[in-house]
Amino acid sequence: MFTYTVSVCTGKQEFAGTIDHVYLTLTGTERCSDRTLLDKSFFERFARGTVMPIDVHVKETLGDIVLVKLEKKNFLFNDQWYCRCISVTSPSGDRFDFPCYRWIASEEAVVLRDGMARLSHEDKTSLLNDHRRTELESRQQLFRWKEWQPGFPMSIDANSGKELPLDVQFEAAKSVDFNVNFIKAINNLGLNKLKSLFQKSWTDIEDFQEIFMTIKDPVSEYVMQNWEKDFMFGYQFLNGCNPVMISKCVNLPDEFAVTQEMVKGSLDRGLTLQEELKEGNIYIADYGILEGVRANATDPNTQQYLAAPFCLLYKNSQNEILPIAIQLSRQTPAGGTNTVFLPSDNHHDWMLAKMWVKSSDFNVHQLVTHLLRTHMTSEVFAIAMYRQLAAVHPVYKLLIPHVRFTIAINTAAREKLICEDGIFEKANATGGTAIVEVIQKAMKTLTYKSLCFPESIKSRGVEDLPNYYYRDDGMMVWEAVKSFVSDVVKICYDSDETVQKDKEIQAFVQDVCFSGMKNCPKNCEFPDSLTSREQLVEFLTVVIFTASAQHAAVNFGQYDWFSWVPNSPSTMRKPPPAQKGQVDMKYIMESLPDRGRSSWHLGAVWALSQFQDNELFLGEYPDTYFTEQPVMEAAKIFRKKLAEVTNIIKSRNENLQVPYCYLSPDRIPNSVAV
């Protein structure tokens, strides 16, 4: 008689003794064991994180253990058991580790491979090849593509969180009810009384302080104190919550009616506008994507408006980025005149023009920068990973921490947030049909290269912009992620040819290109194959950076930069002014969001800016998917580099009036989960 000692580690929940029967079977290179019953008394001894030993007795040795099978039988209850990992010690003392990190539920069997990462061609036996094929076939049935709206990136085929595969659902302790979360935020911020006055306008800018009473955040307070100043308006294009709109202006758009005569008083180097353009000191933010979009019309009692402004920005001799011209309409010269608002205009005209730019910026941020280019894109990567990469594939092991809860949060958003009658409609000008219109238009310009951080910086011509901390910190994090990915790829792929013959990795990128991103234009550049390790490194860096750093940069500063409503109005209730000298403070207050919409807006940006309980930050990998020492050492080096980046950012921030922390690695969650 021979004895194999099996150690089972559980997690996620305490047990109340209601789990019925789970059977365990070991498969070795020579033979299989009989099923061993783990009965109710076994589970009654389990608490979260407990490691319990089980002896499996066999008449003959099994050889090297290659598979562990868990089967759950239901009798009275369909309880769920979360298994972290299993290790098996053979009679000769050899140890085999089997990462699991899965729920065991229903009547389905879970078959685990040992922890060594293997490419598909490295499986040499029919047993392992069959297991790999069966696993992927099963996952492809669970993770089905669905087009939620025409022209959108594809998403998971599920109408609610309960329909998702169990392993990607939120943990029970994590609330994902947006209605509950936002109402809780409104209660926490003391906005209940204002919410009941939904349609009532504010009377003066200072009135917005009524919903600012409980704020203790230094950045948002600084914004409140300085929001009207041109330097603060310009600074947000660099380091605010939407730092991706500013581009170097080489030639003025034909529709932009700005002239040398208009801006000469704002140019402090004694050069003409054309000369400043040639010197590279003129930048632009263009919100043309909103042109022709129908504003939110879901509330018959409140007319709402959108604009598609141009904003011309100037890098002055003090290296400040200042607005020097704003145009709110886009009539062609033959179709009428375009009014260009200037810093020299009267106070109310210039204030309202800047508010319109910031309102447009907020709405583009919400739907394009944030929703499309982080949430939806990361979900495509996640679904393709589950469909095409076996659990023993090294890229699956690399990416799994970076897709945690992404499918779940997006499903919840489609169910409660951006759906018809969802919360997004309550406060935003791009609610209603505008959501679909804007995403469809943005998809036409979504390219693979625009997700590569260095390429996106270069394409906008902002490599040399001073005080652009989003760029500086983003480059450091990008390089750290790329270095880690490169180390893992070199360990697991010995040549470019190995990449080329890896059928699963080729299927992964093809699924992203031809299924997930099928509504992108033909020139979107998403690769349909990979021919080198270098290409693989870039692709995986994009996946991880998008889910972690890019999402952090555009999500967790929402409360800081959007909570002072006049700085980032979520909607406008009066049309944009077509002429100068016709608006006063009354018109401005009637344009800004009313008390109810302001309350929903503030509750939303507060809720979206909160880290989750037990958040896992970049490089924190408590689940040991890789068991190879070289990869574990690479992860250790990765964490060391991230710590160095954190210290560099912390040191710089000590000398800044407004610290920039959103890309500090200790504040970047691993995945899109909020």
Side-chain angles (χ1 to χ4, degrees):
M1 186 69 67
F2 299 91
T3 300
Y4 289 78
T5 301
V6 180
S7 298
V8 181
C9 181
T10 187
K12 301 282 189 185
Q13 82 288 336
E14 305 290 349
F15 288 97
T18 58
I19 289 183
D20 290 304
H21 293 74
V22 172
Y23 294 92
L24 180 145
T25 306
L26 304 181
T27 299
T29 53
E30 297 178 15
R31 57 187 59 84
C32 299
S33 71
D34 293 332
R35 294 197 306 175
T36 299
L37 173 64
L38 314 181
D39 62 15
K40 182 187 294 186
S41 63
F42 173 82
F43 290 102
E44 286 175 343
R45 293 176 287 159
F46 259 136
R48 186 183 295 110
T50 300
V51 177
M52 297 297 294
I54 309 151
D55 287 338
V56 176
H57 303 290
V58 296
K59 294 180 179 180
E60 298 180 90
T61 57
L62 307 178
D64 292 341
I65 306 301
V66 293
L67 297 174
V68 172
K69 183 178 182 180
L70 295 168
E71 299 172 90
K72 181 176 176 294
K73 299 296 181 183
N74 299 328
F75 289 92
L76 297 177
F77 300 93
N78 182 21
D79 245 338
Q80 300 164 356
W81 167 45
Y82 186 83
C83 178
R84 291 180 56 82
C85 56
I86 294 174
S87 64
V88 181
T89 303
S90 71
S92 61
D94 295 326
R95 174 170 166 157
F96 305 90
D97 294 314
F98 295 82
C100 183
Y101 307 109
R102 293 183 59 183
W103 292 96
I104 313 299
S106 302
E107 296 277 344
E108 297 180 1
V110 172
V111 182
L112 306 176
R113 292 278 300 268
D114 71 277
M116 290 290 291
R118 289 183 180 85
L119 304 175
S120 57
H121 66 271
E122 293 174 332
D123 284 338
K124 302 301 184 183
T125 67
S126 59
L127 173 68
L128 297 180
N129 283 320
D130 289 346
H131 169 264
R132 197 168 190 135
R133 186 190 69 255
T134 302
E135 177 190 13
L136 290 177
E137 289 174 350
S138 174
R139 289 229 222 101
Q140 287 163 13
Q141 291 299 313
L142 288 173
F143 294 86
R144 301 176 305 276
W145 293 110
K146 179 181 179 180
E147 188 177 46
W148 185 66
Q149 292 286 353
F152 277 38
M154 299 292 278
S155 55
I156 192 77
D157 184 7
N159 295 317
S160 70
K162 294 179 180 179
E163 295 181 12
L164 293 174
L166 192 59
D167 290 317
V168 300
Q169 292 183 22
F170 279 120
E171 297 171 8
K174 177 178 167 61
S175 173
V176 292
D177 190 321
F178 287 102
N179 287 298
V180 171
N181 287 353
F182 288 3
I183 290 172
K184 178 182 177 182
I186 287 170
N187 292 339
N188 289 345
L189 295 168
L191 306 179
N192 293 329
K193 295 180 181 179
L194 297 173
K195 185 169 168 283
S196 65
L197 304 171
F198 197 88
Q199 304 286 343
K200 188 173 178 59
S201 295
W202 305 92
T203 57
D204 197 81
I205 292 292
E206 285 70 27
D207 289 350
F208 283 100
Q209 294 187 39
E210 290 183 34
I211 58 174
F212 229 58
M213 296 298 291
T214 60
I215 288 177
K216 303 296 183 183
D217 180 80
V219 176
S220 56
E221 288 183 349
Y222 186 83
V223 172
M224 180 187 69
Q225 295 163 4
N226 295 280
W227 70 278
E228 276 194 82
K229 298 174 183 177
D230 286 354
F231 86 86
M232 174 56 71
F233 179 88
Y235 176 85
Q236 292 176 72
F237 286 99
L238 304 181
N239 303 309
C241 207
N242 193 21
V244 301
M245 297 302 298
I246 186 171
S247 297
K248 182 170 287 186
C249 185
V250 179
N251 296 297
L252 293 169
D254 292 339
E255 307 98 317
F256 200 173
V258 64
T259 66
Q260 158 67 21
E261 188 66 24
M262 293 177 183
V263 300
K264 65 180 182 180
S266 297
L267 308 178
D268 68 355
R269 294 184 177 86
L271 302 177
T272 67
L273 177 58
Q274 284 300 319
E275 289 170 338
E276 293 282 18
L277 283 165
K278 291 180 181 178
E279 289 293 317
N281 296 321
I282 304 297
Y283 294 83
I284 193 169
D286 183 350
Y287 298 91
I289 192 171
L290 297 177
E291 175 69 11
V293 175
R294 292 167 291 178
N296 188 345
T298 58
D299 182 357
N301 297 313
T302 302
Q303 181 75 44
Q304 299 179 66
Y305 297 89
L306 285 167
F310 290 114
C311 180
L312 203 64
L313 300 155
Y314 176 56
K315 184 184 73 173
N316 68 13
S317 58
Q318 285 76 49
N319 281 334
E320 294 176 315
I321 301 298
L322 301 175
I324 60 173
I326 293 171
Q327 180 178 301
L328 301 179
S329 59
R330 290 181 179 240
Q331 296 172 331
T332 60
T337 59
N338 291 310
T339 299
V340 178
F341 295 92
L342 306 168
S344 56
D345 293 341
N346 75 58
H347 178 69
H348 291 145
D349 282 344
W350 187 234
M351 175 192 288
L352 186 57
K354 289 191 292 181
M355 285 178 172
W356 266 105
V357 171
K358 291 297 293 175
S359 182
S360 300
D361 186 79
F362 172 83
N363 280 282
V364 171
H365 166 273
Q366 292 295 301
L367 293 183
V368 182
T369 307
H370 184 207
L371 179 61
L372 172 62
R373 298 181 68 89
T374 63
H375 277 260
M376 291 181 173
T377 301
S378 290
E379 183 177 3
V380 167
F381 293 139
I383 296 171
M385 182 205 77
Y386 280 113
R387 286 172 52 83
Q388 305 300 344
L389 300 179
V392 294
H393 196 289
V395 172
Y396 179 96
K397 293 170 178 283
L398 176 67
L399 295 185
I400 189 70
H402 301 286
V403 302
R404 179 175 179 256
F405 296 147
T406 299
I407 297 173
I409 194 66
N410 285 3
T411 302
R414 287 187 289 271
E415 187 181 3
K416 295 288 182 65
L417 184 62
I418 58 174
C419 58
E420 186 176 354
D421 298 324
I423 293 172
F424 193 84
E425 291 184 352
K426 295 182 183 297
N428 301 316
T430 47
T433 60
I435 294 176
V436 176
E437 289 185 68
V438 173
I439 296 294
Q440 288 174 341
K441 293 176 76 171
M443 280 291 286
K444 295 177 181 178
T445 60
L446 177 61
T447 66
Y448 169 69
K449 284 298 183 182
S450 70
L451 300 177
C452 300
F453 192 80
E455 292 288 337
S456 69
I457 295 297
K458 183 179 179 180
S459 68
R460 291 189 288 117
V462 291
E463 302 98 319
D464 300 321
L465 257 178
N467 306 317
Y468 197 8
Y469 309 124
Y470 162 75
R471 175 204 59 211
D472 298 341
D473 298 357
M475 286 300 298
M476 288 191 291
V477 175
W478 172 273
E479 290 302 325
V481 172
K482 183 179 179 181
S483 178
F484 171 53
V485 171
S486 180
D487 288 345
V488 175
V489 167
K490 288 177 181 176
I491 292 167
C492 300
Y493 293 85
D494 57 11
S495 67
D496 292 343
E497 289 73 21
T498 310
V499 174
Q500 295 167 19
K501 68 180 182 180
D502 182 354
K503 294 179 180 179
E504 289 182 11
I505 206 67
Q506 301 299 335
F508 171 51
V509 298
Q510 287 168 9
D511 216 8
V512 170
C513 178
F514 295 129
S515 297
M517 291 298 184
K518 72 174 188 177
N519 290 321
C520 284
K522 291 183 179 180
N523 62 347
C524 68
E525 302 168 335
F526 280 93
D528 58 9
S529 65
L530 299 174
T531 60
S532 68
R533 292 190 294 180
E534 181 181 2
Q535 289 180 350
L536 177 58
V537 167
E538 182 184 71
F539 193 91
L540 300 179
T541 304
V542 165
V543 175
I544 295 173
F545 187 88
T546 300
S548 58
Q550 186 61 25
H551 179 256
V554 303
N555 181 73
F556 293 104
Q558 291 191 70
Y559 188 70
D560 290 343
W561 297 101
F562 297 157
S563 57
W564 180 245
V565 177
N567 183 61
S568 291
S570 60
T571 190
M572 299 295 270
R573 297 179 296 136
K574 291 283 188 180
Q579 298 178 349
K580 299 182 182 183
Q582 297 188 347
V583 304
D584 54 14
M585 185 55 70
K586 182 175 182 294
Y587 186 92
I588 290 175
M589 299 313 299
E590 291 174 349
S591 297
L592 290 173
D594 53 38
R595 293 169 182 261
R597 287 181 173 81
S598 297
S599 299
W600 274 110
H601 167 81
L602 189 56
V605 298
W606 183 86
L608 292 171
S609 299
Q610 306 306 304
F611 292 121
Q612 301 302 308
D613 294 337
N614 303 314
E615 190 76 79
L616 295 175
F617 294 97
L618 190 57
E620 294 180 353
Y621 304 131
D623 294 346
T624 310
Y625 286 96
F626 281 107
T627 59
E628 296 89 337
Q629 192 59 40
V631 180
M632 297 173 72
E633 183 62 28
K636 183 178 179 181
I637 294 171
F638 180 40
R639 286 188 287 272
K640 181 179 179 181
K641 289 181 178 179
L642 292 174
E644 292 171 355
V645 173
T646 297
N647 290 333
I648 291 171
I649 293 171
K650 182 179 179 181
S651 178
R652 179 206 61 209
N653 284 343
E654 291 175 354
N655 300 314
L656 297 180
Q657 191 163 18
V658 181
Y660 185 80
C661 303
Y662 311 115
L663 283 171
S664 181
D666 62 342
R667 296 175 63 87
I668 300 175
N670 270 329
S671 63
V672 176
V674 65

